[in-house]
Amino acid sequence: MPRGKLIVSSRWPSHMVLVRHGQSVGNLAASEAGRRGAARLDLDFRDADTPLSDTGREQARALGAFLRAGDVGGAPDLIVCSPYRRAAETAAAAVEAWGSAHELVLDERLRERDLGVFDGLTSAGIREEYASEAQRQSHVGKFYYAPPSGESWCDVTLRVRSLLADLREGYEGKRVWLFTHQAVIMSFRYVLEDLTEQELLEIDSTTDLPNCSLTTYRAGGGSGLELVRFADTSAVEGSAPTTAEPSRSRESNHAR
């Protein structure tokens, strides 16, 4: 069946850069829980309050130095970030290392996907504590499934569409940077590139999205934004460790 684009507009920012937060304490806890085969991450705070690790702060500072060197082709005009601590800390540390007094705009639409009752559980923990939901998740699929009290990827996509509608008013020709999370960045790809469910999940299952990586779009000659690069770690490489969770680890809360 022929596919058309729902979003058709010439009023786009000139560039849009999506930054995944630096490595978090939650990322480390998830790796350790997976190594031990544990059911739950060893954390005592909310997902929203998960801070950066020492490595994550180092990555954020490296990104700021990258900005200061002018290696991004132009300074951002607008910086918007998720209010979740790990993303906000990444943005703040990057701006400080950049040497700018740039204002950070918090927007809850950039927050990570809400995992509801699965929050803090590993894949093994989900199967152990919510066996029937694990079966339903397998049947419905990752894109459409929503955990009890949580969000599906479709729900995240609705947030992304709302934010993009706002960015098409008053930011034409501007450089916009968004500090956010793995599922949100993938949802931007789904919307901006008019991907199918299968195309999106293929990318997610075959390509890691490292901490502090950049996914960059620029205004195309038509009526939308075109992908320039995805999951680019050049801002971090050589200045800080590059970290990512294997794609198979992102079925539960491992992208935290």
Side-chain angles (χ1 to χ4, degrees), residues 39-40 115-139 145-150 252:
R40 184 174 290 274
L115 293 170
V117 299
F118 289 179
D119 183 47
L121 292 175
T122 65
S123 297
I126 292 171
R127 291 190 296 270
E128 178 182 322
E129 297 189 25
Y130 298 97
S132 62
E133 283 297 323
Q135 292 176 353
R136 192 167 76 88
Q137 180 183 40
S138 178
H139 175 70
Y145 174 78
S149 302
S252 59

Side-chain angles (χ1 to χ4, degrees), residues 7-14 168 171-173 219-225:
I7 299 178
V8 179
S9 173
S10 59
R11 301 191 306 273
W12 286 104
S14 65
R168 293 198 301 278
Y171 298 101
E172 182 178 356
S223 57
L225 293 171

Side-chain angles (χ1 to χ4, degrees), residues 126-201:
I126 292 171
R127 291 190 296 270
E128 178 182 322
E129 297 189 25
Y130 298 97
S132 62
E133 283 297 323
Q135 292 176 353
R136 192 167 76 88
Q137 180 183 40
S138 178
H139 175 70
V140 174
K142 185 174 182 177
F143 186 72
Y144 291 110
Y145 174 78
S149 302
E151 293 180 297
S152 68
W153 276 34
C154 287
D155 295 322
V156 178
T157 295
L158 292 175
R159 294 199 253 123
V160 166
R161 293 189 188 278
S162 171
L163 181 57
L164 285 172
D166 286 352
L167 291 177
R168 293 198 301 278
E169 299 294 334
Y171 298 101
E172 182 178 356
K174 303 293 186 181
R175 293 178 175 270
V176 176
W177 281 51
L178 307 175
F179 286 76
T180 186
H181 308 265
Q182 186 267 342
V184 182
I185 293 172
M186 296 304 296
S187 295
F188 270 97
R189 291 207 61 177
Y190 176 79
V191 174
L192 291 172
E193 299 170 47
D194 195 31
L195 299 177
T196 65
E197 174 193 1
Q198 291 74 23
E199 289 168 339
L200 180 70
L201 295 182

Side-chain angles (χ1 to χ4, degrees), residues 70-111:
D71 292 331
V72 294
D77 298 297
L78 173 69
I79 300 177
V80 188
C81 63
S82 160
Y84 278 26
R85 181 175 173 181
R86 57 193 180 276
E89 284 185 347
T90 302
V95 168
E96 181 179 7
W98 174 23
S100 170
H102 212 300
E103 179 184 5
L104 302 180
V105 179
L106 299 180
D107 195 305
E108 72 283 350
R109 290 172 293 185
L110 288 173
R111 72 187 187 277

Side-chain angles (χ1 to χ4, degrees), residues 26-95:
N27 294 147
L28 295 176
S31 296
E32 175 61 17
R35 186 188 67 80
R36 294 187 291 107
R40 184 174 290 274
L41 278 62
D42 185 16
L43 296 173
D44 58 0
F45 36 73
R46 301 181 306 165
D47 187 24
D49 299 328
T50 302
L52 291 178
S53 67
D54 291 342
T55 295
R57 286 187 285 273
E58 186 179 354
Q59 291 166 338
R61 291 192 293 268
L63 176 58
F66 189 75
L67 273 165
R68 188 174 64 248
D71 292 331
V72 294
D77 298 297
L78 173 69
I79 300 177
V80 188
C81 63
S82 160
Y84 278 26
R85 181 175 173 181
R86 57 193 180 276
E89 284 185 347
T90 302
V95 168

